[in-house]
Amino acid sequence: MADSEPVTDQPIAPGEDADPDEHRSSGHAGRRRRSRGLGFLRETAIIVVSALVLSWLIKSFLVQAFFIPSASMEDTLIEGDRVMVSRLVPTVLDVHRGDVVVFKDPGGWLDPVEPVDHGPVGNAITDVMTFVGLLPQDTGEHLIKRVIGVPGDQVTCCDAEGRVSVNGVPIDEERYVKPGSEPSEVDFAVTVPDGMLFVMGDNRQNSRDSRYNTGNPGGGFVPMSNVVGTAFATVWPFDRATLLRNPGDVFAGVPEP
């Protein structure tokens, strides 16, 4: 009987798997990890996009933040304040005398403003975040003033005591006019046209408002269609956070036109 050949260990050739089941198990685990990773990225993208869309909808139809760049509304609002503005006015709710409104420049009220350059990437990020409402809108093309006259009102200044009158009734504006300011240093007498507003800043001697824009488009009046909304709260800085309430009692005695 011939001697049997000795059994020797054979080397595993490159690419050869000693255990096919182990190879399949490892492949399945890798695919599961990739699937979980893609699922996480997909869910994160959905959440981010949904949040941006929701923010844009809120900013477009409900509430928008604005930055105060000047002293024209002191002491109610000071430079650097951030305010929240209700977009329900004037589309759903009416504008009232005493409201603090944000509106687009009717034409010629503001000097040209050179935007801050953050670089191509920074500008793009700033524009996107402002568009969706994550950053406050710069008031480069907007103004913020207080409504003194609504359509049909006769607004005049000044009576013997230096007060502004609306429809023949003098109003006491100490509630909001900056201490030390006169109600107006110039005389005027206007009737507010339909679809327009007559507005003034609370810092009367430092406000380019309806009184000083009679030679510009609209004759110094603000078209209702230019109104973005009414400011209802100061939210930044935190130590100035407060609600901006309409001083309705100031105009309580004013008759309708």
Side-chain angles (χ1 to χ4, degrees), residues 87-97 99 101-104 106 147 149-153 192-199 218 221-230:
R87 297 298 301 267
L88 297 177
V89 179
T91 54
V92 177
L93 304 175
D94 293 332
V95 179
H96 299 94
R97 304 182 192 98
D99 283 346
V101 294
V102 171
F103 56 94
K104 292 183 180 179
V147 176
V150 296
D153 280 347
V192 184
D194 289 342
M196 298 285 190
L197 299 172
F198 184 88
V199 299
F221 300 105
V222 177
M224 201 75 73
S225 58
N226 282 37
V227 175
V228 175
T230 56

Side-chain angles (χ1 to χ4, degrees), residues 52-198:
L52 292 176
V53 171
L54 179 60
S55 179
W56 175 79
L57 289 173
I58 292 173
K59 169 229 172 180
S60 299
F61 300 104
L62 295 177
V63 175
Q64 185 174 0
F66 279 86
F67 170 81
I68 305 301
S70 73
S72 69
M73 284 295 293
E74 288 182 353
D75 285 337
T76 305
L77 299 170
I78 65 174
E79 187 173 350
D81 281 352
R82 270 70 165 175
V83 296
M84 301 303 292
V85 173
S86 170
R87 297 298 301 267
L88 297 177
V89 179
T91 54
V92 177
L93 304 175
D94 293 332
V95 179
H96 299 94
R97 304 182 192 98
D99 283 346
V100 175
V101 294
V102 171
F103 56 94
K104 292 183 180 179
D105 185 353
W109 288 40
L110 291 172
D111 295 328
V113 177
E114 188 69 27
V116 178
D117 187 6
H118 302 286
V121 176
N123 290 339
I125 293 174
T126 300
D127 290 344
V128 169
M129 294 185 70
T130 302
F131 176 75
V132 299
L134 296 179
L135 284 180
Q137 177 76 47
D138 189 357
T139 48
E141 61 176 6
H142 295 82
L143 299 98
I144 185 165
K145 306 291 180 187
R146 190 177 298 276
V147 176
I148 304 300
V150 296
D153 280 347
Q154 294 181 338
V155 186
T156 61
C157 193
C158 302
D159 69 357
E161 298 180 31
R163 297 173 297 181
V164 173
S165 297
V166 181
N167 297 335
V169 176
I171 55 176
D172 184 355
E173 301 184 278
E174 290 184 1
R175 283 274 303 277
Y176 49 80
V177 168
K178 182 177 181 178
S181 294
E182 304 174 28
S184 180
E185 68 276 24
V186 297
D187 294 340
F188 58 86
V190 299
T191 299
V192 184
D194 289 342
M196 298 285 190
L197 299 172
F198 184 88

